[in-house]
Amino acid sequence: MATQNKEPGPDDILRPILNTSKWYYVAFGAASAVVVVFLAAWSYQLENGLIVTNLGDWGSGGGVTWGMYIGAFIWWVGIAHGGIILSAAVRLFGMDKYQPVARMAELLTLGALSMAGMYIVIHTGRPDRLVLSVIPSYPWTVQSSPLAWDITVITLYFVMTATYLGLTLRYDIYRLRDRLPDHFDLLYRFILIGYSEKEDKIIERMVWWLALGIIVMAPLLLHGGVIPWLFSVLPSMPGWSGAIQGPQFLTIALTSAISGVIILSYVCRWAYDWQHVFTDEMFRGLTKWLGLFGLLFVWLQLQQIINGVFAADVAAEQVMVAKLEQPVYIIAMGTMVVVLGYIFAQALDKRVFSLNRSLVASIAVLYATLSEKILFVVEGLQYPQFDLYANVPGTYIPSPVELASLAGTLALCTLFFLVIIKLFPVVELHAVEGHDDGDGGGDGGDEEVTA
Amino acid sequence: MSTDESTDNDEPRHPYETDESFHPMGKEWEDQMREELEETDYDADLGMEMAKDAQRLVAGEISEKEFYQSYHDDVQEEFEVDDRPLFEDLDGVDPSDFDDDQSMFEALKDIDLEADDVSRRDMMKKMGAGAAFLTYGAYATQQNGRSDEVPQLVENLQTKEKNREHRWGMVIDLERCDGCLSCVSGCINENGTSTGANWMYVFAYVNEDTDQANFLVRPCQHCSNAPCEKVCPVRARHTREKDGLVLTNYETCIGCRYCQVACPYGVNYFQWGEPDTDLSELEHLEMRPEKVRSMDFDERKEALQTAAEDGDHIYDERGWWTDSRPPTGVMGKCTMCPSRQDDHTESPQGTVACQDACDEAGMSAIHFGDLEDEDSRPNRYLRKRSENVEENDRHFNDEDVVEGEDPDMWESTTNWGRLSSFKLLEDLNTQPNITYLGNEPGPNDKQVDPAEIREDPEKLDTPVSYEDLTGQDRWGNQVVDNRKEHLDYGPSGPPEEEA
Ligand code: SF4
Ligand code: SF4
Ligand code: SF4
């Protein structure tokens, strides 16, 4: 790729804002169409109730209570939390090689968190009451309900990420203001309120501290704690309970987020000729990280399998055996093994690496994590401790309305990116300025830079 | 000694002390202490002062000696005694142990303040108010020393005990149940639940090894430590302080179904679609719930009693919509018929519809009542049953006594004689309020699949199937066992000929 040696500059990061190709319209149109279908399906649900899903009552009822909505919810939260951890790590440890994707990861966090929030609304039977019911009881429920904790951290992380993004955006917008389109002037002026160049140093410190906060809190407040506690604290569902869920959720979050970032950067690189911004080297690095976290994910699955089948009690064994016999699970884990095979082969031999293969691997990983999460929710509920009922395990296959929500949130998230990419640079000015110093693109530039 | 506002300024403050309250558990708690003390014949101000200093004692600001000296005279005066019989009657606490190196708070800690079956009110009566003052100190000690053992929800700790009048529950004699499903039908008739939402669910299960068929009668267990309540993000699922009923506020529930997920027993039934029974059939008050709630207690009671003549029973005495079937998108489950327990309906307090139906069928397997009341139906039934068992035992003993053998070896070891009793999944610490008599299901037991019985009635001798109950209640609702099959028809319901 000849263009790779070109120095990236502000022109590159402004290109998406100033130029619009026909593919942009195609993507926008397609995503909007899917969103319309999803909205239609959702209105159908709002009109008739959750009976349009294939969910049911566990127990005598023969169904499962939570299904794809909750599975997809934790998947989106996972991507979001992984994204913010990634970007924080880049800033905290000065991993310059990945700086071009830092903002992308933050945007992914915002998009994914919004989708997770949306799933809460889709999932509940009475979304009309959400605000009026949740707020007045909050001082009490926050003490005991993991669901209230979830709502809290989702809000908290949305605010933190937006702050983070806002702070770093000011630097860029101030410097690129004359070249940004005037029709968004109001937006830019809003972002720049009270800006002066003197603040840059302070902001840099603030961002560093925020990053530190995010990393430190990750195990507890993000996918390592609050989200898995939704399940792991319930002793009556042996498929869920247990302290391993924290680490398991966290590795899945990181695996999914890296995949998401790889996919997004791949598309941008293709669309805007960013070979010199998102270098092959960077993709190789991301692929390696994907391998590391993917390995942790598979390792923790193995831990659970061994614990579930080797002399476990009746209920725990039943759920594990069922899981191992479930084709969806076998496919998901098989996919992970193949992906890991590729990643380690390319680590050993550079020639095995290709951008397209990494893209396929990322898509496969996202499929595997999503299906694992949905299965985790469903099978947990199918194999409760109290399984005397003939209708336990209950049956569940997502209904078209539920599937539409998945397509719909994916499309919405795409739309979110398509809009954002027109508003401000999705790659930081710092990232392309840094290359001016002459250390860009090369090998091993990241290790020595750690603070 | 009485409260003197000005002294507050000079004294070192307890670390917990805020302008509002000296007690770590807050103002509300403090006010409630005062209220309770005022109900006694003793000096409430003195009690509050003692409780406050007890807090300081706990914080190490004053010694026990100082604390005791400063109240010695007051206590003597108040209770007209010389020998400080504060701990009279209290098991396990000896006043003479009470010196400098034996902490009275340590002693007080041993009292099981959180024991479910002793209300604080009773304890106060038993202990005398003086000791009760100190008990508040002990609460403080507990709060400090073993903070993890103090229930998180202060509100629960105080109100549940304070206003508790009853603890409703059941004794269900599985040995009397023959699976006639009368209770199931009775419940549907009372509450208008939708197809497959069998709040009361009775089923046959067989033991793998013995092939013996047993019935399990499964309403909601109305757990005293209900996980469903803890997880609810909006406090719609709650325990009613007055009588321990675990109810759902149908007006605030957001339908997240976390309660259903957290309940270990699978007793919750969500309203996935439109309810089968229309609200207009259930309610004739023609008032918005807010209106009902805004009335004062007597006014509301009267209105609700009048409405009950039309068969209404959707509001409980707080004016909360917690009774009858839930609306769309809201969680439902067995309620233990709160309108009856509030005396709003023609049916007397202390009865439930499923029990009525069971009695009518001549089975009398369900015994509902106040578990705190020695003479309630469930407690009387338990006594009677254990007497019968003992009687049989004795009979058996007399015949079988072998010389040289201790005849007492046949003495019963369980609470109710050798009567086999159990609570479901007690290990999970849910503290269910349903006690079963009969065989406890084992880990490998399984319900006999009703679908299989339908195909092959020989398989098990059950008198009635769920499908047979269709149209038997006053709403003419369809009844099925497997709700999922019914839900799969979607919003429009099953095709006509099947309905
Ligand atoms: S049985 Fe289930 S629903 Fe009923 S109180 Fe206990 S936990 Fe809650
Ligand atoms: S379904 Fe309703 S009652 Fe149950 S936890 Fe959710 S909000 Fe609470
Ligand atoms: S107590 Fe009331 S709500 Fe519960 S099963 Fe019996 S009749 Fe139904």
Side-chain angles (χ1 to χ4, degrees):
Chain A
M1 298 184 186
T3 43
Q4 272 213 17
N5 299 322
K6 212 174 74 183
E7 290 294 318
D11 283 345
D12 291 308
I13 66 171
L14 284 169
R15 197 170 314 130
I17 303 173
L18 304 173
N19 307 329
T20 310
S21 75
K22 75 167 193 290
W23 289 112
Y24 181 89
Y25 294 112
V26 170
F28 205 97
S32 310
V34 176
V35 170
V36 168
V37 172
F38 156 59
L39 290 179
W42 190 14
S43 351
Y44 179 60
Q45 176 181 309
L46 287 175
E47 205 178 302
N48 293 291
L50 286 161
I51 192 166
V52 303
T53 65
N54 274 344
L55 298 162
D57 306 293
W58 83 265
S60 76
V64 298
T65 314
W66 284 358
M68 216 190 83
Y69 287 160
I70 288 289
F73 161 77
I74 39 182
W75 183 70
W76 278 117
V77 189
I79 293 179
H81 286 172
I84 191 69
I85 293 172
L86 229 90
S87 117
V90 170
R91 299 190 192 286
L92 197 63
F93 305 122
M95 296 155 97
D96 285 0
K97 180 155 78 173
Y98 303 109
Q99 202 170 19
V101 289
R103 182 169 292 162
M104 204 82 105
E106 284 151 25
L107 289 170
L108 185 63
T109 299
L110 287 186
L113 272 185
S114 312
M115 294 312 115
M118 183 130 175
Y119 260 115
I120 295 187
V121 184
I122 301 174
H123 163 83
T124 52
R126 296 302 295 253
D128 52 316
R129 294 174 174 176
L130 264 173
V131 175
L132 282 182
S133 284
V134 173
I135 293 173
S137 57
Y138 186 77
W140 289 273
T141 54
V142 76
Q143 304 175 54
S144 64
S145 174
L147 207 57
W149 304 342
D150 275 19
I151 297 174
T152 312
V153 293
I154 288 179
T155 316
L156 177 75
Y157 273 86
F158 196 92
V159 172
M160 269 175 94
T161 314
T163 313
Y164 205 65
L165 191 70
L167 290 177
T168 54
L169 259 182
R170 286 158 75 89
Y171 178 91
D172 294 16
I173 293 194
Y174 180 72
R175 280 165 187 78
L176 299 171
R177 179 62 197 91
D178 335 331
R179 304 172 63 184
L180 290 166
D182 282 337
H183 43 269
F184 298 129
D185 189 49
L186 220 60
L187 176 73
Y188 302 135
R189 267 200 267 165
F190 175 73
I191 295 176
L192 285 179
I193 288 173
Y195 180 84
S196 82
E197 279 181 41
K198 268 183 268 159
E199 78 177 34
D200 291 345
K201 270 254 140 14
I202 306 165
I203 297 275
E204 213 173 295
R205 279 329 276 169
M206 275 175 75
V207 166
W208 191 89
W209 280 105
L210 260 174
L212 181 71
I214 286 167
I215 297 275
V216 169
M217 291 199 288
L220 218 58
L221 282 192
L222 295 175
H223 239 58
V226 168
I227 308 290
W229 287 336
L230 201 55
F231 306 91
S232 64
V233 296
L234 302 176
S236 49
M237 300 289 162
W240 290 348
S241 69
I244 200 169
Q245 297 312 341
Q248 174 69 97
F249 272 53
L250 192 60
T251 55
I252 294 180
L254 288 163
T255 320
S256 312
I258 295 176
S259 303
V261 168
I262 292 180
I263 296 172
L264 279 176
S265 358
Y266 179 95
V267 174
C268 287
R269 172 170 149 152
W270 171 80
Y272 300 110
D273 293 326
W274 277 355
Q275 286 84 351
H276 53 301
V277 183
F278 296 158
T279 60
D280 280 2
E281 204 44 50
M282 187 196 84
F283 276 105
R284 275 199 73 193
L286 283 174
T287 308
K288 271 188 238 167
W289 284 106
L290 180 64
L292 176 68
F293 292 120
L295 191 67
L296 291 175
F297 165 29
V298 173
W299 168 59
L300 290 174
Q301 286 289 319
L302 191 70
Q303 298 283 344
Q304 293 174 75
I305 293 173
I306 301 296
N307 270 276
V309 293
F310 192 92
D313 62 43
V314 181
E317 181 168 334
Q318 275 171 348
V319 60
M320 193 44 78
V321 168
K323 191 171 217 167
L324 292 174
E325 285 168 358
Q326 171 61 249
V328 177
Y329 184 73
I330 298 170
I331 295 172
M333 287 305 120
T335 309
M336 283 311 294
V337 170
V338 173
V339 166
L340 287 175
Y342 157 67
I343 293 174
F344 288 103
Q346 66 90 29
L348 287 174
D349 183 349
K350 254 187 171 178
R351 282 168 306 174
V352 181
F353 172 81
S354 93
L355 261 189
N356 289 334
R357 283 184 196 150
S358 286
L359 177 75
V360 172
S362 301
I363 295 173
V365 163
L366 280 177
Y367 163 77
T369 52
L370 176 63
S371 51
E372 195 278 338
K373 283 287 71 124
I374 296 175
L375 211 59
F376 170 81
V377 172
V378 172
E379 292 204 312
L381 272 169
Q382 279 182 315
Y383 297 91
Q385 186 80 37
F386 188 61
D387 61 351
L388 195 57
Y389 299 104
N391 293 333
V392 160
T395 54
Y396 174 71
I397 295 165
S399 76
V401 174
E402 289 170 270
L403 291 169
S405 77
L406 189 61
T409 45
L410 284 169
L412 265 179
C413 207
T414 311
L415 276 186
F416 169 79
F417 266 92
L418 288 172
V419 170
I420 290 289
I421 214 165
K422 289 284 156 209
L423 296 180
F424 29 73
V426 294
V427 174
E428 277 171 86
L429 191 54
H430 268 309
V432 290
E433 280 175 338
H435 288 265
D436 291 342
D437 305 338
D439 68 347
D443 260 56
D446 55 329
E447 274 81 29
E448 74 236 30
V449 202
T450 20
Chain B
M1 192 173 194
S2 65
T3 333
D4 184 351
E5 301 296 333
S6 63
T7 55
D8 277 75
N9 302 329
D10 314 317
E11 279 168 13
R13 277 188 157 197
H14 183 274
Y16 284 130
E17 202 170 329
T18 61
D19 288 338
E20 232 192 9
S21 166
F22 66 82
H23 202 279
M25 285 167 131
K27 175 110 174 76
E28 231 176 287
W29 174 255
E30 191 185 314
D31 289 347
Q32 201 198 322
M33 277 166 63
R34 174 174 290 277
E35 221 175 89
E36 285 186 18
L37 287 171
E38 267 161 5
E39 276 177 36
T40 67
D41 295 328
Y42 304 106
D43 184 352
D45 286 336
L46 171 63
M48 294 302 281
E49 207 52 30
M50 278 175 81
K52 187 168 172 176
D53 275 346
Q55 295 283 320
R56 299 178 55 209
L57 178 88
V58 168
E61 287 169 18
I62 54 172
S63 73
E64 277 186 27
K65 206 166 192 164
E66 276 177 277
F67 174 81
Y68 213 80
Q69 272 163 0
S70 65
Y71 289 108
H72 180 236
D73 293 343
D74 293 316
V75 169
Q76 227 171 7
E77 196 184 303
E78 187 68 27
F79 302 108
E80 299 167 273
V81 282
D82 306 311
D83 53 347
R84 316 184 290 229
L86 293 176
F87 301 109
E88 219 177 35
D89 291 333
L90 251 189
D91 297 336
V93 185
D94 181 357
S96 60
D97 284 350
F98 190 67
D99 58 36
D100 270 356
D101 36 53
Q102 172 102 46
S103 159
M104 68 172 171
F105 285 93
E106 283 302 307
L108 273 166
K109 259 207 278 192
D110 294 336
I111 308 164
D112 189 6
L113 292 166
E114 287 167 50
D116 241 351
D117 42 358
V118 199
S119 82
R120 275 214 328 271
R121 191 176 295 262
D122 288 348
M123 172 116 65
M124 277 172 58
K125 283 202 200 109
K126 202 167 142 203
M127 291 162 70
F133 294 170
L134 292 181
T135 308
Y136 288 118
Y139 267 110
T141 317
Q142 252 199 344
Q143 170 79 2
N144 267 293
R146 304 181 298 180
S147 59
D148 52 340
E149 283 178 38
V150 174
Q152 264 189 330
L153 292 171
V154 172
E155 205 200 35
N156 284 350
L157 183 73
Q158 43 186 226
T159 47
K160 262 188 199 162
E161 297 288 302
K162 184 194 167 202
N163 297 327
R164 183 57 62 84
E165 291 165 16
H166 307 281
R167 182 161 63 90
W168 299 117
M170 294 176 181
V171 166
I172 301 181
D173 190 345
L174 300 176
E175 285 172 12
R176 290 192 65 94
C177 175
D178 75 339
C180 71
L181 308 190
S182 302
C183 53
V184 177
S185 198
C187 178
I188 298 171
N189 189 51
E190 178 91 352
N191 294 301
T193 48
S194 297
T195 305
N198 301 314
W199 286 2
M200 174 54 96
Y201 188 67
V202 177
F203 61 98
Y205 67 93
V206 272
N207 181 284
E208 258 190 348
D209 309 322
T210 62
D211 258 353
Q212 192 202 343
N214 301 282
F215 286 98
L216 188 68
V217 179
R218 190 240 55 197
C220 164
Q221 310 287 308
H222 289 264
C223 310
S224 289
N225 184 24
C228 63
E229 170 190 332
K230 277 189 227 163
V231 301
C232 179
V234 296
R235 296 213 301 168
R237 178 59 58 81
H238 64 283
T239 303
R240 202 161 73 152
E241 55 189 60
K242 160 178 110 138
D243 52 10
L245 291 188
V246 180
L247 299 171
T248 315
N249 184 342
Y250 292 158
E251 268 185 281
T252 53
C253 167
I254 55 170
C256 69
R257 314 191 287 293
Y258 202 7
C259 52
Q260 188 172 28
V261 162
C263 166
Y265 304 96
V267 305
N268 289 274
Y269 296 89
F270 188 65
Q271 195 58 50
W272 299 97
E274 282 284 314
D276 295 0
T277 314
D278 201 71
L279 189 60
S280 61
E281 294 180 68
L282 294 171
E283 202 227 25
H284 305 87
L285 259 184
E286 281 161 16
M287 270 182 223
R288 293 287 311 144
E290 310 89 71
K291 177 86 198 330
V292 180
R293 273 199 305 280
S294 67
M295 298 176 175
D296 72 27
F297 187 87
D298 296 325
E299 210 184 340
R300 185 163 59 228
K301 186 147 190 154
E302 205 191 303
L304 293 178
Q305 274 169 344
T306 319
E309 286 162 19
D310 291 323
D312 281 22
H313 59 101
I314 77 166
Y315 296 105
D316 68 9
E317 67 175 22
R318 300 165 298 178
W320 291 22
W321 184 10
T322 55
D323 202 352
S324 299
R325 59 94 183 130
T328 314
V330 167
M331 192 57 75
K333 66 158 186 69
C334 153
T335 55
M336 283 195 175
C337 307
S339 316
R340 290 186 179 214
Q341 312 330 329
D342 292 345
D343 228 355
H344 288 161
T345 66
E346 326 251 88
S347 317
Q349 192 190 41
T351 66
V352 283
C354 50
Q355 170 187 267
D356 288 356
C358 185
D359 287 349
E360 256 167 55
M363 302 312 293
S364 295
I366 300 173
H367 305 274
F368 174 86
D370 184 354
L371 302 180
E372 305 280 0
D373 175 3
E374 279 302 295
D375 294 321
S376 66
R377 179 167 161 178
N379 283 332
R380 272 184 294 130
Y381 187 76
L382 268 186
R383 274 203 301 275
K384 190 84 193 124
R385 276 279 264 136
S386 62
E387 276 164 22
N388 288 347
V389 171
E390 265 166 36
E391 192 81 7
N392 289 342
D393 278 5
R394 225 169 293 135
H395 184 66
F396 172 76
N397 286 351
D398 292 344
E399 284 175 2
D400 290 83
V401 165
V402 177
E403 215 171 326
E405 207 175 58
D406 176 9
D408 287 346
M409 69 186 272
W410 300 106
E411 277 295 291
S412 41
T413 46
T414 58
N415 285 354
W416 301 291
R418 286 156 120 220
L419 193 58
S420 159
S421 79
F422 67 94
K423 292 185 178 183
L424 277 177
L425 303 180
E426 248 193 313
D427 290 0
L428 295 178
N429 194 23
T430 50
Q431 299 164 20
N433 282 309
I434 309 281
T435 300
Y436 291 98
L437 301 182
N439 294 331
E440 181 165 10
N444 288 315
D445 294 359
K446 195 80 184 171
Q447 177 180 5
V448 188
D449 193 346
E452 283 173 26
I453 305 178
R454 241 176 293 146
E455 269 163 34
D456 174 16
E458 298 286 284
K459 198 172 154 101
L460 190 82
D461 186 24
T462 44
V464 193
S465 81
Y466 278 81
E467 285 66 17
D468 295 341
L469 301 181
T470 297
Q472 283 196 8
D473 52 89
R474 70 174 106 154
W475 325 101
N477 286 352
Q478 191 192 349
V479 181
V480 299
D481 175 76
N482 185 328
R483 191 181 194 195
K484 180 73 171 60
E485 285 167 7
H486 184 81
L487 290 174
D488 283 346
Y489 291 117
S492 49
E496 273 311 310
E497 66 273 20
E498 286 194 51

